[in-house]
Amino acid sequence: MGSNSLHVLKGINFSCESGELVAIMGSSGSGKSTLLNILGMLDEADSGEYTLDSVPIKNLTETKAAQYRNKFLGFVFQSFNLINYKSAMENVALPLYYQRVPRKERQEKAIEYLDRVGLKEWATHLPSELSGGQKQRVAIARAMAAEPKVLLADEPTGALDSKTSYEVMDLIQKINDEGNTILVVTHEPDIAEMCKRVIHLKDGVIVEDKKVEQVRAAQYVQ
Amino acid sequence: MRQLFDRNTWQEIFQSISKNKLRTFLTMIGVFVGIYIYIGLSGASQGLDNGFERQFETIAKNSLFAWGQSTSMPYAGFKTGRQIQLKLSDVEVLYNRVPEIETIAPRNVKGIFGSSPGIITRGLKSGSYAVYGDFPDFAEIATKKIYEGGRFINKADIEQARKVCVIGERTQRELFDEEEDPIGGYIKIDNINFQVVGVHKFTPGGGFESDSDIFIPFATFRKLYNTGNNVSWFTIAAYDDADVIKVEEDIKAVLKNIHSVDPKDERAFGSFNLGEIFNKIMGFSQGMTFLSLIVGIATILAGVIGIGNILLISVKERTKELGVRRALGATPAEVRNQIIIESLFLTMLAGIIGIIAGAMTLKVIDTFTRGGDFPYTNPTVPIPYVIGSLLLMVILGVLIGLIPAQRAVSIKPIDALREE
């Protein structure tokens, strides 16, 4: 994009086990989104190594990166990024389309995942007919539908009020309970506390990396 | 290629097209108008072409007429202003000396160019009509449609100088009763009984003929009106591959030679070259066809560029969506192909609708102009032209789709997602 280069990440070294729920925290400009984008193969690190499920991720062509993203990663964005002319079910089925899953199977699976986020009855609704929390739940269902190894969530609660934030976090915790690895970028301490491990970034370096006692979001949800 | 025949691809495309109806509609208008104009124009020029063909269908396309006038130069002892009279004996010489001639039909006439028409009577009914002395060969040059049951003058009529005649539709109406069969009936031409052997159907096509003309055998005409070997004019048809302008010059040169006219005298013989005029008209309609091709291709091109433009805007609009798709695992090739197929599909759909609308317009115009004097018949566009224009649209649709497609994949997914 811009011609000015900025050194954002200045030496990050950490590894993440399968089944972890990690919060990456830091003030804006600390490099947390950049880190997530590199992990998500949307961006590339200038130097360093990244190994995902013992597959070295480097020098990827766009096509290869797309295939890895499709196979290994699920994305949840702050602004949901649902396709506005597709129904909830079609949105969830989209990653399966790129996996060449047959249509019938795709739809069944999409319904199944919508059911898991509690939006089965909303399957035929367009994103514009859903509330913010519902949109994010559809986005989570979409990210999960491809059965990725890692779920990457970039400020998943950033655009939600605290009540719906907790609902979404409750969902993320439940998914994590099933054994899925999840990385959550956030700058809200209460969200970070709901994870199992918190990594603090400041000016491109890790200043703190600690396991925390998980606060269950369910207690805030009626 | 796999993507092109995949049902899922088409579902994606149909969805993105039908969810953006206004955009789709606007995109298609350009190509629709382009192909519509192309089909309309080339159909119309084909209609004109056919119309001209029809006007000339009653007469051989490379025929000409030649007649004698008066000399404008003294030559071989003759003074200026001598009236030239064509003779029957000229025919043989012309056949021998101008090999490009296929047929010569000498004609005599009474009733046009100032001479008084024949007085025709039948019982109490009478009228005055032009009378032609003809050879059967004439029918080979200028087709005369004869009504069922009748015939044109034949060889035996000439040999025996039979008193038979072919009458016009109007003559039949004016001399015979409505339910009466004129064939075999008798009429009097300048007080001589003639048996009617045929009724000719008149086709308006310019010239001096009419629906009341009476044709009688040349041999009978010369006896009836005492014309001897005189001929009013020659109707001459050249072979199809002959150059009619050169044939005309050769014929005049031969005639000047026979009649002792100065070779440089331009006024002694008159001629009317139908072949030349026909060629000019055909050249004109070919020009029209060419013009409609150019205009059509230009408008199609403009339309396709319009599609490219709107797709470019739509790609910009959909940057984020495309970014999401790529984050979810769409490869650049899949994104690119989807946009190209979209462009191709829109182009083809608009094109096919345009072809159908164009064909319907042509049909309507055809219905309104049918039967009139206007030279416009059966406006159609040849199938190869239609297929060619569709092919052109496919090629242009793909090429123009490449631009927005390339743009769509040139943006990194991360930048696409960041865009608000």
Side-chain angles (χ1 to χ4, degrees), chain A residues 37 70 81 85-86 90, chain B residues 15 320-321 325 328 414:
Chain A
N37 288 334
N70 188 242
N81 281 346
Y85 60 81
K86 282 176 176 289
E90 287 163 340
Chain B
Q15 222 175 19
K320 195 154 192 184
E321 177 202 324
R325 282 173 182 274
L328 293 179
I414 175 72

Side-chain angles (χ1 to χ4, degrees), chain B residues 146-159:
Chain B
I146 307 290
Y147 278 105
E148 185 90 11
R151 64 170 176 83
F152 194 66
I153 288 150
N154 64 23
K155 238 176 144 184
D157 295 335
I158 302 287
E159 279 160 10

